[in-house]
Amino acid sequence: MASRLRGNKKPDLYKASEAGDLVSARAALAGGQSANSRGGDYDWTCLLVAVEKGHEEVVTELLQQEDCDPSLEDSSKSTALQWACGLGRVGMVRQLASHPRQCSLNSKNRYGETAIMAAVDEGEVDCVLALGRLAGVELDIRDREGRSLEERAR
């Protein structure tokens, strides 16, 4: 079961993920902390914070853990994949999208946006191309206003 600490409380794995400290992340995992541990002011998972901070080695380590669930969401129902797309982290997008337990390729956050929409909105062409090549990614999807990906890109 993943730790849930709100506010300023952060499990060691969360702190390591946030700092990009691979050695400490491995030690926390070896000590039994769950890859799905949450912490910080926004109750993010370790994976979400590592993606947001751009720590690709930590993301890779977390995704290798048996208990890692890349489909867990933040408070706005955004996934690590959606964050990676919006931030242009194409290496992470590839890892997250191809993960065997990834089940949120087309999930929509609270604002009705998918991962590919986040990439389109931010002009992250490499992320759009990486997702567009994957089977299962809906390219004819529409947002809450009924706009297509092409219309959002304008």
Side-chain angles (χ1 to χ4, degrees):
M1 181 170 205
S3 331
R4 289 184 84 90
L5 300 173
R6 287 197 176 253
N8 291 328
K9 299 184 182 194
K10 300 175 183 178
D12 291 341
L13 181 57
Y14 185 94
K15 290 178 196 173
S17 299
E18 186 175 40
D21 183 347
L22 184 59
V23 172
S24 295
R26 286 180 174 153
L29 289 163
Q33 289 191 26
S34 169
N36 297 321
S37 297
R38 291 179 177 264
D41 293 332
Y42 301 106
D43 195 35
W44 280 12
T45 64
C46 296
L47 183 61
L48 279 166
V49 76
V51 166
E52 193 268 337
K53 298 292 184 184
H55 303 308
E56 192 159 356
E57 288 182 334
V58 174
V59 168
T60 300
E61 185 69 26
L62 292 169
L63 288 172
Q64 291 173 353
Q65 304 307 305
E66 244 180 77
D67 70 331
C68 185
D69 183 351
S71 298
L72 293 177
E73 302 167 335
D74 67 11
S75 60
S76 68
K77 300 186 71 58
S78 293
T79 64
L81 180 60
Q82 288 166 320
W83 274 96
C85 283
L87 293 168
R89 305 203 195 292
V90 71
M92 293 180 195
V93 168
R94 288 186 184 112
Q95 286 188 71
L96 290 159
S98 64
H99 192 274
R101 287 182 297 282
Q102 179 61 261
C103 60
S104 59
L105 290 175
N106 300 301
S107 67
K108 293 184 177 181
N109 63 17
R110 174 180 296 165
Y111 311 105
E113 299 167 337
T114 64
I116 199 162
M117 287 177 185
V120 166
D121 289 352
E122 298 302 323
E124 298 296 347
V125 176
D126 290 338
C127 293
V128 172
L129 293 173
L131 282 178
R133 292 182 182 116
L134 294 173
V137 174
E138 293 180 30
L139 300 175
D140 60 349
I141 198 162
R142 295 191 174 265
D143 64 16
R144 281 200 247 181
E145 288 87 39
R147 295 177 301 161
S148 69
L149 290 175
E150 183 179 343
E151 291 166 326
R152 288 177 73 105
R154 291 186 190 147

